[in-house]
Amino acid sequence: MCVLRGGFSRVEQTLLEGGRGTAVIEQRMAFQDLMRARFEEVIEQATGRRVIGFMSGNQQHPDMMCEVSFSLRTTSLTPRACIRRSALFR
């Protein structure tokens, strides 16, 4: 998980101040959706683990962003096998 503060660009900040916060969030969500595969690839290369989930969230006041990725401990498990395995420990 990565939490960031102060990440809105000058253009986004201008839109926020002009009451267009929804447009800023929609644009960020569209960008995250477009870049999801690339972000997962970078995380996998950095950690050596397969990413099975990635989420991104934004908050305007206070200015905060959160990036969360979920990965498997080993690359030999499928997401379904991981879910079954985690159910054993409940």
Side-chain angles (χ1 to χ4, degrees):
M1 175 174 18
C2 179
V3 178
L4 308 166
R5 299 277 320 259
F8 288 114
S9 69
R10 289 179 190 227
V11 170
E12 290 173 326
Q13 192 62 43
T14 300
L15 288 168
L16 289 170
E17 291 167 3
R20 303 293 302 267
T22 302
V24 172
I25 299 304
E26 288 174 354
Q27 179 183 10
R28 283 184 166 242
M29 289 174 62
F31 177 76
Q32 291 290 347
D33 187 51
L34 182 67
M35 296 297 294
R36 178 177 306 281
R38 178 65 181 132
F39 290 156
E40 290 176 356
E41 180 183 320
V42 168
I43 294 165
E44 288 176 351
Q45 288 176 354
T47 65
R49 296 181 176 184
R50 189 166 69 104
V51 173
I52 60 170
F54 179 80
M55 292 179 268
S56 179
N58 299 281
Q59 176 178 300
Q60 298 170 15
H61 303 289
D63 179 357
M64 297 171 66
M65 292 94 191
C66 182
E67 309 292 339
V68 180
S69 66
F70 297 90
S71 53
L72 296 172
R73 285 188 177 184
T74 67
T75 58
S76 62
L77 293 176
T78 64
R80 183 173 296 232
C82 183
I83 292 168
R84 283 196 306 264
R85 187 176 195 188
S86 68
L88 296 173
F89 299 102
R90 289 184 191 162

